[in-house]
Amino acid sequence: MNESELDQYFMQLAIDASCRAQDAGNMPFGAVLARGPRLVHASINQQRTADGGRGDITAHAEVVLVREVASLHGPDTLRDATVYASGEPCAMCAGALFWAGITRVVYGASTPDIITTLGGPELPTRCIDVLGAATPPVTVEGPLLREAAIAVLEATASAGTKR
């Protein structure tokens, strides 16, 4: 597979994870960590189901991904890796990815897509706004497979689920 095909493959895995998050009763967001052509780990948003169902407002898919990868594979696995997120990472998640040493972020649905589709509270700061001047630099790319990522958000919205 070439780089473009790998990007699409890993993004589809992140979108599939977003469906699993939705099926588990969480908001539909998923994230995948890859090192080159190798899948390392996939995680789902767990804001509602974390901590035995008590929830954790910081358990966005990207933060869960960082925690799980560091725990299972060690923090060095995060450094210089790529994260594929079904939705553009929020400011909190972008900061977590930076501090974890991630050097590339690729997202599906953009922040405006998420706000338009799901409504609810808005934190309109874009991922590139958080990471654009970072040192060391972090590459932010997207949207990729935007329509597929938005379709999962729309399914949540049509079910009447709000953030």
Side-chain angles (χ1 to χ4, degrees), residues 30-116:
V32 167
L33 184 109
R35 295 187 60 79
R38 184 173 69 91
L39 169 67
V40 175
H41 195 76
S43 295
I44 66 171
N45 178 303
Q46 297 178 17
Q47 287 179 278
R48 295 182 179 152
T49 58
D51 199 18
R54 289 192 301 244
D56 175 354
I57 59 173
T58 67
H60 292 198
E62 300 89 344
V63 171
V64 172
L65 182 72
V66 166
R67 291 173 183 164
E68 290 178 348
V69 169
S71 176
L72 294 170
H73 305 283
D76 287 344
T77 304
L78 295 157
R79 289 183 185 83
D80 300 319
T82 298
V83 167
Y84 296 85
S86 64
E88 184 175 355
C90 71
M92 175 185 73
C93 292
L97 296 174
F98 172 79
W99 292 114
I102 301 300
T103 54
R104 183 172 177 241
V105 177
V106 182
Y107 63 86
S110 69
T111 296
D113 294 330
I114 295 165
I115 291 169
T116 299

